[in-house]
Amino acid sequence: RARVAMSTPLSTRARAPTRAESRTRHRDRRKTRATRTTPRSIAEPSETGTGGADAASDSRRKRVSMVSLGCPKNTVDGEVMLGDLHGAGFDVTDDHESADAIIINSCGFVEDAKNESVEAILEASQLANGSKKIIVTGCLAQRYANDLANELPEADVIVGFENYANLPKTVGGLLGVETNGLIAPQQARVQVGGASPPFREEIKRLRITPRHTAYLRVAEGCDHKCTFCAIPSFRGRFRSKPWQSIIDEAKALADSGVRELNLIAEDTNQWGIDLRASDGRGLAELLYALAEVEGIEWMRILYAYPSYFSDELIRAIADVPQVCKYIDIPLQHITNLSLLRMNRPPRQHTEDLLYKLRDRIPDLALRTTFISGFPGETEEEHEELMQFCRDFKFERLGAFAYSEEDGTPAMEYPDQVPEEIRAIRRDQLVSQQQEISEDFAMSRVGKDVDVLIDNWDEDMQAFIGRTTLEAPDIDPVVFVTEDKSKGLPPIEPGQMRRCNVIGSSLFDLEAQPIM
């Protein structure tokens, strides 16, 4: 999901077939993103920090742009990198044509994401007849650095997680920028270290999300051994961000105008498990502390694992007003045989948890994702998953067709399901969920809800917003229109407006302000 999209045609030079994620939103109209054109920092870096870019040999400072792909964790990495570059004296722009260097913050999760990243690299290299410097960061760089160096001469430098702090020097070397009167030395083309670097300060970052909403990383890495997933191999071991770092970052975000915090990690609800001996606090205590941060009105838990839901955590989600009654828990499957092959918690454990969450957290919306066509999945197992989803009725659901990932046990499993069957099963699951999601949307008509206004949609001639039950980018939206006869204040992005839901359009809501 590109935060700053490139408009050049897609390249055909990709290394594997594309298998795209299916989502529950299928529309004929253009999908709307909450984007903006001016970077904002949660703690403005100096115009010329230590080691800044001296533009004495040029009429302007060197410009850097970024194409940020993949998940919110990659977004945060990208924002921190942009903050470092801005602090070092580079101009950050979203105009790739005018940039001297383009950073492709890549994703390496599944084949579709890899292809998208490779295409972005090739597209960037074609701008201005290849005169721009191309820097590749992100998970694809961390995971396939040597392959990229050998197969993509278009990539000038490939940088992994451990060397992100060195990025200003790397870019300066590529562009011949003077630092303290000296030209920065050229850096190595491949700069990829370990997968588990220590946390860096993430306060000074140039955000590419709207001013009023932000992602707050609370942990990194994963210690689980899911047989389909390669993430632990390139994101490293699980490690919780220290308590005070999280609180300080939340305060800085709030001071900059953030009203919504989306908590992210590989396994967000596992926060604090590795700190128990020295700290003793978990995510429940963290939620209570974040609720005390002035200005934060919503907190949302994304990427939870179907374990680690203590009674204290469930109580905090239910009782803390700022915590959205929304939990994202990727389940991957529900039949015991598939879960066993995936090395995931068994069905009874999962069902007990889901019903406990619904029972103890009023008006909870649950989001999940499933993998269709995992090796060995029979038609009976697929139908069992379909029946479970019909019965449980998740408010939000996405599905992937299984993708073989290098180095994972599942890639070597016998009984691989043909790709066309994977796609058919995914589409069946998504089609079934569409009806459930439409019914859920219609059930909300007539209710009064708080809507956080994200942006204006020119095509729809309406403002785009979300309630507590919609996460940014991945869920349906609320189309908000003004009734000027009511004499209410005009709608603006970043506002929290009390609205009445007057209708639904497929999975989206239509609403008008009442306050």
Side-chain angles (χ1 to χ4, degrees), residues 333-335 370 381-389 429:
H333 217 281
I334 200 61
T335 69
F370 290 110
E381 287 179 272
H382 170 62
E383 180 50 43
E384 187 176 341
L385 173 59
M386 293 276 289
Q387 183 63 54
F388 174 76
C389 292
L429 189 58

Side-chain angles (χ1 to χ4, degrees), residues 436-454:
I436 296 170
S437 296
E438 287 185 49
D439 289 343
F440 177 61
M442 287 189 288
S443 74
R444 302 176 73 190
V445 175
K447 295 182 178 180
D448 294 342
V449 294
D450 290 324
V451 179
L452 182 59
I453 306 297
D454 282 328

Side-chain angles (χ1 to χ4, degrees), residues 15 106 121 136-153 155-161 163 189-193 234:
R15 296 190 291 169
S106 64
I121 296 167
V136 183
T137 61
C139 292
L140 195 71
Q142 181 72 27
R143 187 178 181 188
Y144 294 110
N146 292 328
D147 290 340
L148 290 172
N150 292 331
E151 298 178 21
L152 288 177
D156 293 289
V157 179
I158 298 147
V159 182
F161 308 141
N163 290 284
R189 184 171 180 232
V190 176
Q191 303 176 32
V192 177
F234 56 86

Side-chain angles (χ1 to χ4, degrees), residues 90 106 127 211-212 274-275 295 308 315 329 338 350 371 448 468-469:
F90 292 91
S106 64
L127 294 177
R211 184 173 185 268
H212 53 274
D274 54 330
L275 303 177
Y308 316 114
R315 190 177 307 116
I329 315 179
S338 284
T350 300
I371 296 174
D448 294 342
T468 56
L469 306 188

